[in-house]
Amino acid sequence: MKKIRTRFAPSPTGRMHVGNLRTALYAYLIAKHEGGDFILRVEDTDQERFVEGALDIIYRTMEKTGLIHDEGPDKDKGYGPYVQSERNAQGLYLKYAKQLVEQGDAYYCFCDKERLNSLRTSVSEDGTDIVVYDKHCLGLSKEEVEANLAAGKPWVIRLNIPREGTTTFHDEIYGDITVPNNELDDMILIKSDGFPTYNFANVIDDHLMEITHVVRGNEYLASAPKYNRLYEAFGWEIPVYVHCPLITDENHKKLSKRCGHASYEDLIEQGFVSEAVVNYVALLGWCPTDNREIFSLEELVEAFDYTHMSKSPAVFDTVKLKWMNGEYLKAMDFDRFYEMARPYIEEVVTRDCDTKKIAALVKTRIEILPDIREQIDFFEAVPEYDVAMYTHKKMKTDPQKALEVLKELLPILENQGNFSNDALFETLKAFAGEKGYKIGYVMWPIRTAVSGKQNTPGGATEIMEVLGKEESLKRIRAGVEKLSEQA
Ligand code: GLU
């Protein structure tokens, strides 16, 4: 069997859209699942869409996500160059276009904008407007063409698609698709600026780079029959097509920049972890037979099977992604978590306290890193709170009982030398035992006094350990004062 070769062919136009990341991931997985090669090709023939610095974003994103290419602009294994503008500079695309002109499968077209705009729009069976070029310039004689070229008239080269009959192509996900040829435009192969169109360059490059499986978004599905006409005109083998389903936002609209989380970098900035994003994106259009959800990249390589891809649109569900991210944070090695969490902690807590301990408290209690902020704000200062917060039915306590407990506890805590979580817990447990109190009856008032919050990461003693003796006592005294005023 031929070695599988897939490619990721981004255009350097900005941040990496989630759809592109998924295309890259699936192309990577299809190759790696079979021990094949994954190739990076830069498609920069649309000079108007080129964005400075976008190439760096592509490299960086692929490195961070672990989608390491075997070949690409920085790793030429004999199929290069891997950047289309460089390939064009070698005259490669024009050479192939001219070959088609020679064969009668393509032709020079000199029509200007005005003429093209005046072409009648016809309506296809499904009601959509389609404009197909009327082959006007196909009628030019060889001499007329030569004369126009010599006179420096602007030209393009178009594919010559027969008007009669149909074209059928096979896609692994969408099955066999047949279209009437009269709906296929004589698409431009070489533009008036001398650059090839994507439609032409992708076929030439996929063939020359011996790509076996073409993985891309389903926006290219409609053009696939035209690509087949090109393969046939050259007599080249047609690759396996794998078109990935559309990704939509929660409102079932195409996922776009507007929703604010459409690119890999957006998600990282919002506090998502790279591995979780990759894992989540893998499930946008593919589902393993056992419905398992958590996969490392290596596990995806093992499990991924494109025959289980779906053709229905995949909804990008941020709630699910957040859940998944939380799972990754929980399972993460502590040192790595701390490194990521620290800036968020230091942004909120400027007092001198052990940020590592705070990180340990929040690690299993957040979904995305920015959740840290509102979880730990009380370490900096106790927020305004109502004494009603001391009431807890299950713990059988209320402001009055809380005041009693805190007053009793103050001298004990003042005498406590060791302010570690364990030592404090032992002291409080002993105190509760002596008094015949339930442990919650003691802990609830303290936690409320030291945090001013109903929900905190960690219990009373864990919080006191982080705050230290002085600050903890200060807060408990303030609690006593507050409760006394209200009593
Ligand atoms: N350059 C195209 C894009 O960025 C690639 C399409 C393909 O994979 O063939 O959308």
Side-chain angles (χ1 to χ4, degrees):
M1 217 179 84
K2 248 200 336 201
K3 191 174 192 186
I4 288 197
R5 287 172 62 83
T6 64
R7 84 314 191 259
F8 175 47
S11 300
T13 56
R15 293 188 159 193
M16 201 183 291
H17 188 274
V18 166
N20 276 352
L21 176 60
R22 184 193 54 182
T23 299
L25 176 62
Y26 286 5
Y28 175 85
L29 296 176
I30 290 172
K32 295 298 149 188
H33 186 71
E34 301 285 345
D37 288 334
F38 174 59
I39 290 115
L40 173 65
R41 180 173 78 224
V42 177
E43 300 202 329
D44 60 347
T45 56
D46 193 345
Q47 297 285 299
E48 278 166 30
R49 287 176 65 220
F50 183 81
V51 172
E52 206 53 50
L55 199 54
D56 291 337
I57 297 181
I58 293 170
Y59 280 123
R60 202 166 56 222
T61 308
M62 295 186 70
E63 195 188 319
K64 282 196 184 155
T65 49
L67 305 181
I68 306 302
H69 51 281
D70 300 289
E71 292 172 33
D74 53 342
K75 291 178 204 165
D76 193 335
K77 298 270 172 72
Y79 292 87
Y82 294 80
V83 178
Q84 285 184 333
S85 57
E86 291 171 26
R87 297 170 75 74
N88 193 49
Q90 297 181 348
L92 186 138
Y93 304 109
L94 189 59
K95 184 184 103 188
Y96 282 99
K98 281 185 174 166
Q99 181 190 325
L100 292 182
V101 173
E102 289 288 306
Q103 291 174 205
D105 288 310
Y107 57 95
Y108 281 92
C109 170
F110 302 93
C111 291
D112 58 20
K113 262 207 185 105
E114 263 165 37
R115 170 152 210 288
L116 293 174
N117 288 341
S118 72
L119 290 181
R120 216 166 55 86
T121 301
S122 57
V123 176
S124 76
E125 275 170 30
D126 67 2
T128 49
D129 281 0
I130 41 170
V131 186
V132 290
Y133 179 65
D134 63 357
K135 291 185 185 284
H136 176 76
C137 289
L138 186 60
L140 297 177
S141 68
K142 218 173 171 187
E143 293 69 35
E144 284 171 307
V145 170
E146 295 297 338
N148 281 343
L149 291 175
K153 249 192 159 186
W155 54 267
V156 300
I157 296 179
R158 290 181 181 273
L159 180 63
N160 182 16
I161 297 181
R163 282 282 168 265
E164 305 75 38
T166 57
T167 299
T168 299
F169 77 99
H170 180 76
D171 179 81
E172 290 296 308
I173 314 305
Y174 292 83
D176 281 338
I177 299 183
T178 300
V179 286
N181 288 342
N182 64 8
E183 286 186 10
L184 300 178
D185 187 33
D186 280 2
M187 65 175 178
I188 295 175
L189 307 180
I190 303 288
K191 296 181 280 185
S192 54
D193 63 4
F195 276 92
T197 54
Y198 161 77
N199 288 332
F200 187 50
N202 91 88
V203 170
I204 302 297
D205 290 344
D206 286 342
H207 171 73
L208 294 178
M209 293 180 176
E210 297 182 36
I211 301 302
T212 59
H213 293 61
V214 169
V215 185
R216 64 181 156 221
N218 76 349
E219 64 269 31
Y220 294 99
L221 198 58
S223 305
K226 294 191 236 178
Y227 307 149
N228 274 16
R229 305 246 36 129
L230 275 173
Y231 282 107
E232 278 159 15
F234 283 116
W236 292 341
E237 195 182 331
I238 294 169
V240 175
Y241 290 124
V242 180
H243 285 93
C244 309
L246 184 73
I247 303 177
T248 74
D249 62 17
E250 277 103 343
N251 301 317
H252 303 282
K253 299 241 163 59
K254 189 174 178 192
L255 190 69
S256 74
K257 269 190 193 157
R258 251 171 304 139
C259 43
H261 49 249
S263 78
Y264 172 79
E265 298 215 334
D266 291 341
L267 293 168
I268 297 303
E269 277 169 11
Q270 286 163 22
F272 288 95
V273 178
S274 194
E275 291 92 323
V277 174
V278 171
N279 187 158
Y280 182 69
V281 163
L283 301 178
L284 289 172
W286 170 77
C287 180
T289 40
D290 59 3
N291 286 328
R292 179 178 156 196
E293 293 191 298
I294 304 290
F295 289 91
S296 65
L297 186 59
E298 294 72 43
E299 289 166 339
L300 283 171
V301 166
E302 184 75 21
F304 192 80
D305 168 5
Y306 66 78
T307 61
H308 286 109
M309 273 170 65
S310 152
K311 56 181 163 215
S312 32
V315 181
F316 190 91
D317 177 355
T318 35
V319 174
K320 173 109 184 247
L321 172 58
K322 278 188 181 171
W323 164 79
M324 191 172 274
N325 200 67
E327 295 302 300
Y328 272 84
L329 292 179
K330 276 182 207 147
M332 190 180 282
D333 161 75
F334 179 76
D335 288 341
R336 181 170 166 219
F337 176 76
Y338 177 59
E339 204 177 300
M340 293 196 301
R342 195 171 165 183
Y344 291 92
I345 298 173
E346 289 178 346
E347 184 189 310
V348 177
V349 183
T350 59
R351 298 185 40 252
D352 180 26
C353 53
D354 191 337
T355 48
K356 264 199 176 159
K357 282 183 183 155
I358 298 181
L361 288 181
V362 293
K363 187 168 183 282
T364 57
R365 293 176 167 96
I366 55 170
E367 289 189 323
I368 53 172
L369 294 164
D371 290 347
I372 291 177
R373 296 192 186 111
E374 54 113 24
Q375 290 245 347
I376 64 164
D377 53 358
F378 68 89
F379 281 114
E380 181 67 2
V382 178
E384 273 303 317
Y385 68 98
D386 198 293
V387 287
M389 220 189 263
Y390 283 97
T391 300
H392 195 296
K393 266 208 180 128
K394 219 171 110 211
M395 312 284 185
K396 295 194 168 58
T397 183
D398 59 28
Q400 212 180 340
K401 290 176 182 147
L403 178 60
E404 262 168 51
V405 169
L406 292 182
K407 274 183 171 168
E408 286 174 332
L409 267 175
L410 258 177
I412 299 175
L413 291 173
E414 276 159 3
N415 281 327
Q416 175 85 11
N418 182 348
F419 244 66
S420 71
N421 173 32
D422 289 345
L424 284 165
F425 193 82
E426 283 313 313
T427 303
L428 296 180
K429 208 171 84 183
F431 165 76
E434 259 167 48
K435 294 279 180 181
Y437 297 151
K438 285 252 169 59
I439 190 76
Y441 185 84
V442 176
M443 295 295 190
W444 184 261
I446 303 183
R447 195 165 67 102
T448 307
V450 295
S451 72
K453 288 187 104 174
Q454 210 127 35
N455 294 306
T456 54
T461 53
E462 286 168 303
I463 295 171
M464 282 198 282
E465 179 183 71
V466 173
L467 290 173
K469 184 169 178 176
E470 200 186 311
E471 180 68 14
S472 300
L473 288 174
K474 199 171 113 195
R475 291 183 179 198
I476 294 171
R477 286 190 200 109
V480 167
E481 212 169 292
K482 192 176 173 90
L483 286 162
S484 310
E485 279 167 17
Q486 307 273 326

